[in-house]
């Protein structure tokens, strides 16, 4: 029997698909068109776009065009078909043919929705009856947080020159709390359109003393401080389970360790961090951790024109519940998989591939498992991260396919590891959770069988 409670065992895959930029959102699903009937924008396509596209594809947001109305969407009909059919859009790049397929805040389209869009375009992209158009979605102000924050930390602006080397350093701001609190949700954002172009990454800490340098693994924090959250281009909010949180100590300063790069024009970078907190005095059952794990076991070495694979490993010394998986690479990153190697003790280890995802540098997405399938692992489990980089001409984001690429901090260099979110469990908690999952599967199976017999 698998130690894991959900997934596809022993699968390895290496499938490339194009990557681009588009949108995140949530809402109602589309009404399926009648078999053989004409597919129209107002009745069939608009509900799909409202659910999964217009949160970003609307005036004032990050996407390059609006898809709010028929007049907005019609000129882009073929592009919409191409991007959705290849599953480049919306930007949720998990391969759902492998491992776990259930994630929180999943904006991806169903096969039926993709087919509906294709039929609409192939049928001439008709408008349809205006009376069928769903009411427009209502949004908060442009650039609103993905949750309602209790506090927002705003770091001082930093002017990035039009040209020059990549910039690294720290900025500081006050944390407006008077007692120790626990973080329930957290989100970093580059607060303006210009900021989003120049912020490569931003790592936020709570520190006792300003001007402490980050040493070693950024996610381990700084001397006398605690790591809070990572941000890179396109990163979504991190929302923790109700029984886990991150400690935020009163009296500390917020520090963001930034990596900025020039874009050809002088730009002010504005970085902000929002937090939703547990009620004052409430302590969650588990401390939630987020770290960059399974660094490559050998140096990254990618010749010009080549596709290269690297592997990284880390031992989890305690039983744990894996909450989220976020690949981290740079421009030539193409795909990453997360495999579990269980401590079976035999001659051959039992393995389970739980997640594979394509990668776009524009979307550093945190894939959060739903509570009922979040991997439960025993102490001694090894996380195996498999990463592919594409340094060839087929990678449209590649600035120079002829040039060798190696390890480095700069945007033009490469990395390959995963940000893993988890909380530790006692062996007793782990065993109880596994038994509870087994009982739930048995209950669901029994209910299904009874329904089939009626």
């Amino acid at each position: 029997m698998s130690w894991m409670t959900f997934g596809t065992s022993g699968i390895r895959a290496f499938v490339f698909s194009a990557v681009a930029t588009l949108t995140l959102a949530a809402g109602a699903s589309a009404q399926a068109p009648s078999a053989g009937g004409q597919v129209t924008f107002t009745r069939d396509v608009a509900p799909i776009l409202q659910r999964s596209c217009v949160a970003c594809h609307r005036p004032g947001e990050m996407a390059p065009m609006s898809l709010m109305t028929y007049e907005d969407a019609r000129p882009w009909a073929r592009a919409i078909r191409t991007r959705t059919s290849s599953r480049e859009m919306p930007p949720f790049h998990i391969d759902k043919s492998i491992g776990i397929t259930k994630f929180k805040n999943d904006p991806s389209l169903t096969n039926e929705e993709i087919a509906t869009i294709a039929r609409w375009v192939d049928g001439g992209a008709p408008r349809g009856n205006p009376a069928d158009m769903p009411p427009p979605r209502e949004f908060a102000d442009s650039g609103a947080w993905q949750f309602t924050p209790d506090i927002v930390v705003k770091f001082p602006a930093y002017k990035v020159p039009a040209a020059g080397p990549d910039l690294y350093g720290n900025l500081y701001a006050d944390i407006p709390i008077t007692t120790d609190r626990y973080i329930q949700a957290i989100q970093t954002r580059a607060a303006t359109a210009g900021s989003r172009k120049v912020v490569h990454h931003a790592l936020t800490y709570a520190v006792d003393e300003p001007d402490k340098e980050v040493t070693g693994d950024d996610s381990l924090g700084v001397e006398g401080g605690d790591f809070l959250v990572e941000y890179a281009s396109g990163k979504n909010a991190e929302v923790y389970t109700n029984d886990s949180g991150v400690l935020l100590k009163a009296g500390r300063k917020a520090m963001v360790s930034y990596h900025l790069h020039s874009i050809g024009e002088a730009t002010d970078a504005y970085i902000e961090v929002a937090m939703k907190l547990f009620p004052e005095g409430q302590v969650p059952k588990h401390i939630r951790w987020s770290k960059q794990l399974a660094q490559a076991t050998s140096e990254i070495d990618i010749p010009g024109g080549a596709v290269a694979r690297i592997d990284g490993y880390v031992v989890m010394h305690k039983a744990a519940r894996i909450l989220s998986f976020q690949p981290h690479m740079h421009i030539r990153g193409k795909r990453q998989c997360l495999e579990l190697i269980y401590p079976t003790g035999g001659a051959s280890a039992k393995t389970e591939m739980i997640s594979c995802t394509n990668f776009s540098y524009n979307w550093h997405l945190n894939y959060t498992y739903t509570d009922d399938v979040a991997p439960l692992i025993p102490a001694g489990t090894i996380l195996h991260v498999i990463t592919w980089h594409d340094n060839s001409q087929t990678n449209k984001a590649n600035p120079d396919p002829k040039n060798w690429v190696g390890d480095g901090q700069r945007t033009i260099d490469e990395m390959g590891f995963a940000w893993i979110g988890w909380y530790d469990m006692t062996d007793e908690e782990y065993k109880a959770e596994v038994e509870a999952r087994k009982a739930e599967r048995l209950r669901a199976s029994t209910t299904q069988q009874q329904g089939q017999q009626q």
Side-chain angles (χ1 to χ4, degrees):
M1 185 192 83
S2 170
W3 287 99
M4 179 56 187
T5 60
F6 189 94
T8 303
S9 299
I11 300 175
R12 282 177 171 69
F14 182 25
V15 182
F16 280 170
S17 71
V19 285
T21 61
L22 208 69
T23 54
L24 297 172
S29 60
Q31 174 184 351
S34 59
Q38 185 186 52
V39 178
T40 69
F41 180 84
T42 56
R43 184 187 63 227
D44 307 307
V45 175
I48 299 173
L49 300 183
Q50 287 203 11
R51 177 178 71 83
S52 292
C53 299
V54 300
C56 292
H57 280 265
R58 56 190 172 95
E61 270 296 341
M62 68 177 69
M65 81 289 285
S66 173
L67 300 178
M68 292 285 289
T69 68
Y70 178 75
E71 288 76 16
D72 291 336
R74 179 61 183 84
W76 303 97
R78 291 193 178 278
I80 294 169
R81 183 192 196 282
T82 299
R83 296 293 191 268
T84 56
S85 295
S86 64
R87 291 198 175 276
E88 299 170 33
M89 303 299 162
F92 195 84
H93 304 130
I94 281 285
D95 185 340
K96 292 190 176 181
S97 69
I98 296 174
I100 296 175
T101 61
K102 296 173 64 178
F103 297 86
K104 296 181 178 181
N105 299 322
D106 179 356
S108 59
L109 305 187
T110 66
N111 292 335
E112 292 76 14
E113 288 171 329
I114 292 172
T116 294
I117 291 173
R119 286 178 56 194
W120 173 62
V121 176
D122 293 344
R127 179 194 298 269
N129 186 346
D132 292 335
M133 187 72 179
R137 277 188 62 187
E138 295 184 1
F139 296 95
D141 293 339
S142 177
W145 300 103
Q146 295 175 17
F147 55 84
T148 302
D150 294 312
I151 61 173
V152 176
V153 174
K154 297 184 178 183
F155 293 98
Y158 189 97
K159 184 171 287 296
V160 180
D166 286 17
L167 300 169
Y168 305 86
N170 303 326
L171 299 172
Y172 299 89
D174 292 330
I175 301 175
I177 59 173
T178 56
T179 60
D180 290 356
R181 302 287 292 274
Y182 284 85
I183 300 170
Q184 198 169 32
I186 188 167
Q187 180 186 353
T188 306
R189 70 180 182 188
T192 63
S195 298
R196 289 193 287 269
K197 295 177 182 179
V198 299
V199 178
H200 175 281
H201 78 241
L203 303 175
T204 302
Y205 307 81
V207 299
D208 287 326
E209 300 176 47
D211 303 320
K212 289 286 188 181
E213 292 298 322
V214 176
T215 57
D217 179 353
D218 289 341
S219 68
L220 295 179
V222 294
E223 183 181 351
D226 295 317
F227 175 74
L228 299 180
V229 69
E230 174 265 359
Y231 168 82
S233 158
K235 172 72 177 284
N236 46 343
E238 293 190 7
V239 181
Y240 308 145
T241 61
N242 289 334
D243 61 351
S244 69
V246 175
L247 176 61
L248 183 65
K249 295 181 180 179
R252 289 188 161 184
K253 287 274 190 180
M255 182 190 89
V256 63
S257 174
Y258 62 77
H259 173 185
L260 309 173
H261 50 215
S262 298
I263 57 171
E265 59 180 315
T267 306
D268 285 332
Y270 296 91
I271 301 171
E272 301 175 352
V273 180
M275 305 177 208
K276 180 176 177 59
L277 306 176
F278 280 91
E280 191 167 352
Q282 182 174 338
V283 179
K285 183 178 179 180
H286 297 285
I287 298 299
R288 201 264 195 193
W289 301 103
S290 177
K291 294 184 184 295
Q292 46 181 259
L293 298 182
Q295 299 277 0
T297 55
S298 59
E299 291 187 2
I300 296 175
D301 182 356
I302 316 172
V307 173
R309 167 179 166 168
I310 61 172
D311 294 76
Y313 304 84
V314 65
V315 178
M316 304 296 283
H317 296 287
K318 298 180 180 180
R321 182 188 187 108
I322 305 296
L323 304 173
S324 63
F325 162 56
Q326 179 190 326
H328 187 85
M329 295 164 268
H330 288 176
I331 296 172
R332 294 166 180 84
K334 195 66 176 181
R335 186 171 172 89
Q336 190 174 97
C337 293
L338 175 61
E339 180 183 57
L340 305 179
I341 304 174
Y342 295 108
T344 55
S348 59
K350 179 172 180 55
T351 66
E352 188 162 26
M353 191 72 75
I354 61 169
S355 290
C356 287
T357 181
N358 296 323
F359 182 81
S360 167
Y361 174 77
N362 295 304
W363 297 100
H364 289 72
L365 299 178
N366 186 277
Y367 298 100
T368 301
Y369 303 108
T370 59
D371 295 342
D372 58 325
V373 299
L376 306 173
I377 61 172
T381 299
I382 297 172
L383 305 189
H384 177 201
V385 172
I386 309 163
T387 302
W388 289 272
H389 295 95
D390 184 359
N391 195 24
S392 73
Q393 292 181 342
T394 61
N395 181 357
K396 301 304 182 184
N398 193 347
D400 186 1
K402 297 179 181 179
N403 196 25
W404 173 88
V405 179
D407 290 281
Q409 297 288 329
R410 301 174 302 171
T411 307
I412 60 173
D413 299 323
E414 268 307 335
M415 292 184 174
F417 59 82
W419 286 94
I420 302 294
W422 84 96
Y423 64 68
D424 295 326
M425 308 171 72
T426 66
D427 291 339
E428 291 73 20
E429 287 175 325
Y430 165 73
K431 292 175 183 176
E433 284 279 352
V434 169
E435 290 303 315
R437 291 261 184 104
K438 288 169 58 179
E440 178 57 26
R441 289 201 310 272
L442 178 60
R443 185 201 64 77
S445 177
T446 301
T447 300
Q448 182 180 23
Q449 291 174 3
Q450 291 173 344
Q452 293 172 348
Q453 293 170 0
Q454 293 177 354

